[in-house]
Structure formats: structure tokens, C-alpha cells
Amino acid sequence: MAEQTRLHIWLNLPDNQDLVSQFHNLYIAPKVRNSGPLETSLGPGVWISDNESQSEASQLKKDQDSAIAALLQQCIAQEGLCIFQVPRVSGFAGHANPWAFRVADCALVSSTKSFLSPLQEITAPSDSTNTLEGIFKALDASIGAIISPLKIRNGAIDKLEFELTRRLSFPFISPEPIRKRRICFLTWSRIAAKRAAWANAKALGIEVVVMSSGAWSEDDKPPHEYMMDGYIEMDMTTDDGFWRRIADAIKAYPDPIDGLWGPWDPFMVPAAMAARDLGVYTPEPEAFSISTNKYRTRQMLDPDEKDFFTVQSLKELESRLQSTKSVNFPVVCKPVAGLSSWGVYRANNAPQLRDAVQKSLIVSQELPDLRVVVEPYIDGPEVDCNIVLFRGQALYTEIVDDFPCSADLAEDPTGKLFTESQAAVPSRLPENEQRAITDEVVSAVRKMGFDTGVFHCEARICNSSMEYTFTKGATIPDLEPIAKPKISEDTPVYLHEVNARMPGPMSSASSIIARGMDFWMLGVLCAVGDWSRYEAFSVPFLHPEVTDHTWLINCIVPVDLDRIKPLFPDHPADQLAHQAVDSSYSPILELAKTHPHLTKHVARHHVYIEPATRLGGKEGDWLWTMCMVFHTPHSREHAFQLAQEFPEVYEAFVSDRYGHG
């Protein structure tokens, strides 16, 4: 008879854990044949097997949870480690799968499994785990599990213990029952591509009602297929009556709505007005009217309008250039109501400014405000500053390095774009400069009238001790110390804009991977006024000096309309703007066969098709706009190497398959 498989179990004891951790980690690994007892920092293990004749052994019960049994079998097959997480405290699940956003991207973890349902009551086992009976009761009480490829050897469990404690030390288990809530999410038609925006609401036990335009067609799946609990058909025209239509539709909905969320600039003011009318949480509409308007933002920061001006036509620009008011070049021009970096250009002199304003005006024709703002170009490292505010207090802040784009690097910036090229977390700027940026940005957000919410802001720092430098042989720059730092100790911060919303999905993914911060989830909790969980989930990973390094990359590739139309069989050509390419067509799938050493580091990837005019191109041309996030546990240098090598490979593939040929 073949020898029965044995498992070796350790339980981390409370005195080995930080007090903020709400879990015991129950480690299980296959016994190596003829191996002796293995001592770890957690104490001696206990051997168990499914052979009842063995001393100190216990048989897995036939009614043992099938998921637990399956994980044990996976552990045996892979000869790795399985870690069951046993609650130390009783309460209620604040999230149905915290492992998905706190652990799954860890390099020491191959997979995770949650045994929870949203808002489920959790009961910590009361029996001692010093006996086999206690261990099996702990298994029954476990609420999630992790599979690791690490082999049993001295130090393996110590590494995992450190990472799991670092990542899961946040108050995920609520001591009080959590009230079920319902959110109304405002978006445009073609909502299939938007469902990721509200997917995490389901894990929070928050029902999702989507308000959008266009009835469901015969080919559309029912709402529950899009992770929705309800749908409100609505005219989404952002006219003066929009907020009233929103409020009336919510009042007519058969179930109560606890919050509104439309995290895109055109929806923010009307959604806030409707929320105020409905009596659900919202910042004041006036605060949004400032943050969504680049002229009003500049006016708030520079009330005397010394360093900026607006124009609505080339004739108006010419009058300004001929006036006694000087224009201090270099400058940047951008649509007052612009989105992202569309229509943003740099100019070093008057002829370049005429060209830049003309291009910006083309973009502004599609926007509610036709004006273009002209402001100083700041020569210094650009950053994103992400903030979580609660009643005026900054619960969390982070600085993200934004790399120079083509408009920064070009000697002649005519037609060059400010489209984000790359971004890295964590920042390489020194701590004092990061604090200066954070202090300035938080102050500006409060000055706008906000005291609570998630904010994605963009700024530059002057007189930095760092600058972007191309090292020998490099195709992209990175921040390096300036050889001869400026004597001035003053490091003024120039705020570009405040986005009163979370970062985009890819930028947010970088923060999830590196810091454990899910800004989209926090946005949902803020919208429904669930403040206990909003605070609980604003806790980042411990030990920020130990971090995964993430690198966001954008690639823009011209494509042929006839070659991309088969990717969108249900979309007319005039409706392809900002349509997401389905993941089944992802180039990553093909490139994984030829470049696995690169694709294994791709954590997130998405593609939108855009008309070239939005990025300064010709009418009728189309662009493949890709954004992806790399991650590596090794170093910024390793992330930098990946960022140099992969874009060239990716762009060549897309050009060959979908380009003009």
C-alpha cells in the first residue's frame, strides 16, 4: 500500500504577530519523505495524515469544506505551501475578498481563495490550536487561503509571514454588522466596458444600479451579466436640466439609493446637485465646478491672473500678442474644460503658440467651454499626487513619478503631446520634496471646498534636487540627482489640476500593487457614506520601504480602420471612439508565447481605440492607445529595464497586425 501523504502544519502564534492583524496564519505543506521535524520561528510543526493508525494524526472529515479539501490537494500536487487564514476576532466581513487586492499581486503568492460572501458574519474559533482537534476546527473556521510556490526550508515561512502581516494588517473585520447599501453609477452607453468600475462594489455588499443612455438591445445581456442589480435608462445630455432628471429618476426608483457616483468631469457638478437634492452625501457642487474648470482652478491659485490668460479664438490670441501685456514663454495651452491631456500643447514662442492654440481650439469645440487657457510651462519633475481625505484630514497620500512626454523632451514642441508616457511607484524624489508637494496639493484641495474624498492631482516641483536624465544607452530617462544642485532651498510647487476622483484604472492598479490602496473602492465607499470602511480601507501596507515597484507604460500606435473593425463587429465606424478592445484580442496573449520573460511581469493591460484628432492627428485617422502596468519585487532598476524593452516589442506587433501595412 502506498504511503499516505502527510502534511506539516504551523500556526503563527499571537505574540509573533502585530496586534493590528486580525488573522492567524495556518501554514500547511506536504511532508518530505523521511524528513524529520523542522523548527521555524513559529515553533515546531505538527504532522497530520489521513491514516488513522498514525500517532498524532487525524483524518480529514468527509464533510470538510470542499474548497479547503481542494486547496490541500493543490498544495500536495504543487509541493508548495498553503496558508489558511483563521480569524483572531469575530465580526463581519468588510470585503468578500481582501486577498484579491492586498495579496494576489505578491511575488511569493501563486493564487488566493476567499471563503467569504459579502458582509458575512465571521466567528473566530475559541478552541486551542495546540491539539489536532483544534487545528481542524481552525481549518473549518478559516475565511480564506493562499497558495505559495515556496518550498519548505528554513526562512520560507518567515518570508511569507512578513509579507502577509505587512499586507493584511488593516481592520478588515468590522466589529459591528454592516448595513447593506445601494449605489447609482452614472455612465454613458456601451456599459459593458465600464463594469470594472463598479465590480468591487459587489464584494463590499453594495448593490449597483447603473444610470445610462440607450435601451438594452436584443443582443445585450441582462443587467446581472454586467454585475448590476438594476438599470435606469436616462437621457445623459449634460444640459442645465440634467441634475433634475437624475434626482427625479432616483426618486422614482423602487428601492432606496444611498449614493450617486459619476467619476467623470461632465457628470460631477450635476451629480452633486442631484445628491444634494436627494439628501445623500456629496461635496458642494461649487467645489466640483472649480476642479473641473482649468480657468477657475488657475484663478483660485492666481487671483490676479498675473501668469495666465484665456482666449476663445486665434483673433483673440493675436490681440493679446499685440497688446502691452507680455507673454512669458515657454507656455502651455489647454482647453478650459479639457479631459486627460487632450489638446494640451507647449509653445516656446509666438508662432508656436498660434499653432498650439489652433490645435487646442479644435479639441475645445467638442467641450462645454470653448476657451483655451495659456499658462506657464514649468521645467521640473512632474508628479501625480493621490490623496484620501476625510473631514479635512489626509488619511493617505502618495507621490507618483510622471515621466517626461514628447512635449517636454522636444526642442521644437510644435504638435508634440503632453500625453502621459510612463509613471512609476514609488517615487524617487526625496522625502522632503514629496512632503512639499503633498502639503501644497492638500491645501489647494481644501481651498476648493473639499474636505472628504479621493483626489488625483497633477503638479510639478521647481528647484528639485533630481532631474530626468538619459543614462548611456538608455531609450527612456529616469530621475537622477542633479550634479550641481541649485543653491536655493526653496522648492515651490506648481499645481496643474485637481481631479476630484480616483486615478484611472491603470494608475490605480499601480497603487493597489505597490501600496494596497484601491482608490476605486474608496470612491464607492465615499459615495454611499460608509465612513467606517472608508477609514479602514485607507490603511496602506506596512513597511513602505519594502515594496513592489510598478511602472505604467502608454503606447500609441496608428492603425488602419479596416483592420480594427473586425474587433468591434457590433459597432459602426462612427462609434469606435474610446471603445475598449476586448481582452480576447490582447496582444499580450500572443507575445506571451515569444516573450514570456517580459509578459510575466504585466499585471494589468487595456486598450482603447481613439480618433487621431483627439491627440493632434488628422481627421479620419485612428490610434491604438494602450496602457499597461509592469510590476517587479526586485528594484526600480529592474522595472526600468522592462519599461525600455517591452514597448518596442509591443508596438511592432500592433503595427504588423493592425497598422497601415
Side-chain angles (χ1 to χ4, degrees):
M1 181 176 177
E3 181 182 350
Q4 299 291 332
T5 299
R6 297 181 181 183
L7 297 169
H8 202 172
I9 294 184
W10 292 269
L11 179 74
N12 64 342
L13 303 177
D15 58 358
N16 287 329
Q17 277 197 302
D18 194 293
L19 293 177
V20 298
S21 177
Q22 296 181 323
F23 303 104
H24 294 304
N25 295 324
L26 187 63
Y27 291 86
I28 300 182
K31 178 186 181 299
V32 179
R33 186 185 300 270
N34 298 324
S35 66
L38 179 64
E39 292 284 338
T40 76
S41 61
L42 301 178
V46 178
W47 295 105
I48 66 171
S49 78
D50 56 6
N51 186 337
E52 290 185 352
S53 65
Q54 295 284 339
S55 62
E56 297 188 1
S58 179
Q59 186 173 12
L60 282 174
K61 299 175 183 177
K62 291 182 179 179
D63 61 353
Q64 193 84 22
D65 186 283
S66 60
I68 293 177
L71 283 164
L72 290 174
Q73 290 299 322
Q74 185 179 348
C75 173
I76 293 168
Q78 295 181 0
E79 297 185 351
L81 285 169
C82 186
I83 306 94
F84 289 89
Q85 301 220 277
V86 183
R88 293 175 58 190
V89 297
S90 297
F92 299 84
H95 192 285
N97 191 1
W99 301 275
F101 68 97
R102 302 285 289 204
V103 176
D105 290 302
C106 176
L108 303 182
V109 171
S110 54
S111 63
T112 65
K113 175 70 176 178
S114 174
F115 305 143
L116 293 171
S117 56
L119 311 183
Q120 176 183 325
E121 185 172 4
I122 294 171
T123 303
S126 56
D127 290 354
S128 168
T129 49
N130 292 329
T131 66
L132 286 175
E133 183 180 0
I135 287 174
F136 278 92
K137 287 184 177 179
L139 273 176
D140 281 331
S142 62
I143 57 178
I146 295 157
I147 296 289
S148 171
L150 292 181
K151 305 299 182 185
I152 280 291
R153 60 174 62 95
N154 290 329
I157 288 183
D158 295 344
K159 289 180 181 178
L160 268 173
E161 182 70 10
F162 175 80
E163 274 299 325
L164 295 181
T165 300
R166 187 175 81 87
R167 291 168 177 269
L168 292 170
S169 291
F170 74 113
F172 142 74
I173 300 175
S174 168
E176 303 295 333
I178 302 169
R179 179 172 66 86
K180 198 167 188 177
R181 290 172 168 85
R182 186 176 292 106
I183 189 172
C184 181
F185 194 97
L186 280 64
T187 186
W188 295 279
S189 56
R190 299 291 179 185
I191 63 172
K194 302 292 183 185
R195 61 180 177 266
W198 59 78
N200 52 27
K202 307 298 290 183
L204 294 166
I206 297 174
E207 291 189 352
V208 174
V209 175
V210 170
M211 182 180 291
S212 187
S213 59
W216 294 91
S217 70
E218 293 181 1
D219 296 332
D220 276 331
K221 298 176 182 178
H224 70 268
E225 292 290 331
Y226 294 121
M227 305 182 76
M228 294 160 41
D229 300 283
Y231 179 74
I232 300 174
E233 183 181 346
M234 168 66 69
D235 174 7
M236 304 299 284
T237 305
T238 53
D239 53 22
D240 291 343
F242 186 31
W243 77 268
R244 173 52 62 191
R245 295 197 300 276
I246 296 171
D248 289 346
I250 296 297
K251 291 174 184 177
Y253 194 74
D255 298 311
I257 300 289
D258 298 287
L260 297 177
W261 201 35
W264 291 282
D265 283 9
F267 293 163
M268 288 181 178
V269 172
M273 294 173 68
R276 186 172 59 177
D277 182 71
L278 293 165
V280 297
Y281 171 74
T282 181
E284 286 299 313
E286 175 65 10
F288 286 115
S289 72
I290 298 173
S291 69
T292 58
N293 185 294
K294 291 176 173 57
Y295 167 70
R296 294 198 63 188
T297 297
R298 287 262 64 82
Q299 190 180 48
M300 181 196 77
L301 298 169
D302 178 13
D304 297 329
E305 301 190 16
K306 294 179 180 178
D307 294 328
F308 75 97
F309 61 93
T310 62
V311 296
Q312 194 168 321
S313 66
L314 287 174
K315 182 178 179 180
E316 198 174 336
L317 172 65
E318 203 60 42
S319 296
R320 170 71 189 219
L321 291 172
Q322 300 301 323
S323 72
T324 57
K325 296 180 180 179
S326 61
V327 177
N328 296 318
F329 293 101
V331 295
V332 172
C333 67
K334 59 182 74 171
V336 164
L339 303 174
S340 188
S341 297
W342 296 347
V344 183
Y345 297 96
R346 171 186 165 192
N348 294 338
N349 51 49
Q352 290 178 2
L353 181 57
R354 293 185 184 97
D355 180 80
V357 168
Q358 183 178 28
K359 287 184 169 65
S360 292
L361 286 171
I362 292 173
V363 174
S364 69
Q365 300 308 303
E366 303 177 15
L367 302 171
D369 193 320
L370 301 180
R371 292 176 297 169
V372 167
V373 63
V374 179
E375 64 186 35
Y377 171 78
I378 304 301
D379 185 16
E382 183 170 352
V383 298
D384 292 339
C385 180
N386 297 320
I387 303 167
V388 180
L389 276 183
F390 182 51
R391 296 172 183 167
Q393 177 188 358
L395 299 182
Y396 175 78
T397 63
E398 82 178 3
I399 300 298
V400 179
D401 290 336
D402 262 351
F403 284 65
C405 53
S406 60
D408 289 306
L409 298 173
E411 289 187 14
D412 179 359
T414 303
K416 298 297 189 292
L417 301 172
F418 276 98
T419 304
E420 185 180 62
S421 58
Q422 304 190 34
V425 178
S427 172
R428 201 174 234 181
L429 291 175
E431 287 295 329
N432 66 307
E433 294 184 17
Q434 294 190 48
R435 283 194 301 271
I437 296 167
T438 297
D439 291 347
E440 181 70 23
V441 172
V442 169
S443 175
V445 170
R446 291 177 181 143
K447 190 174 182 179
M448 282 184 175
F450 295 105
D451 75 344
T452 296
V454 181
F455 302 89
H456 174 61
C457 309
E458 299 175 19
R460 294 201 182 210
I461 186 165
C462 306
N463 298 332
S464 174
S465 62
M466 308 284 283
E467 66 179 354
Y468 281 98
T469 303
F470 284 90
T471 57
K472 186 177 181 180
T475 57
I476 58 175
D478 199 3
L479 281 172
E480 300 291 347
I482 294 177
K484 294 182 179 180
K486 297 180 176 65
I487 298 175
S488 173
E489 294 183 0
D490 186 29
T491 53
V493 175
Y494 190 90
L495 177 65
H496 286 309
E497 61 183 46
V498 170
N499 298 293
R501 56 164 175 78
M502 63 283 150
M506 295 293 104
S507 296
S508 293
S510 294
S511 299
I512 292 173
I513 295 166
R515 301 301 193 197
M517 295 296 296
D518 189 331
F519 295 123
W520 286 71
M521 179 168 60
L522 291 172
V524 169
L525 292 169
C526 180
V528 298
D530 190 334
W531 304 123
S532 60
R533 285 194 287 177
Y534 181 76
E535 287 189 274
F537 293 166
S538 294
V539 177
F541 295 154
L542 301 179
H543 303 289
E545 74 281 1
V546 180
T547 181
D548 278 13
H549 293 264
T550 66
W551 204 288
L552 180 148
I553 298 173
N554 285 297
C555 292
I556 300 174
V557 185
V559 288
D560 186 285
L561 179 61
D562 290 335
R563 298 180 78 176
I564 61 171
K565 278 198 297 187
L567 306 183
F568 305 94
D570 299 326
H571 288 66
D574 61 354
Q575 294 183 18
L576 288 183
H578 203 59
Q579 288 301 322
V581 174
D582 190 273
S583 59
S584 61
Y585 299 114
S586 171
I588 303 299
L589 299 176
E590 291 295 322
L591 292 173
K593 302 173 185 176
T594 56
H595 297 78
H597 66 292
L598 295 175
T599 57
K600 71 179 182 179
H601 292 286
V602 177
R604 309 285 191 276
H605 168 266
H606 77 192
V607 177
Y608 285 97
I609 300 299
E610 299 288 3
T613 51
R614 289 185 176 175
L615 296 173
K618 296 179 181 178
E619 184 76 33
D621 287 351
W622 292 87
L623 301 174
W624 179 284
T625 63
M626 177 278 289
C627 186
M628 74 169 66
V629 177
F630 283 108
H631 75 121
T632 171
H634 302 304
S635 64
R636 175 141 172 160
E637 288 71 25
H638 184 226
F640 179 81
Q641 291 171 6
L642 296 170
Q644 283 203 110
E645 187 174 352
F646 195 70
E648 183 178 351
V649 172
Y650 184 94
E651 290 175 13
F653 177 90
V654 174
S655 292
D656 181 64
R657 180 158 296 191
Y658 302 112
H660 293 282

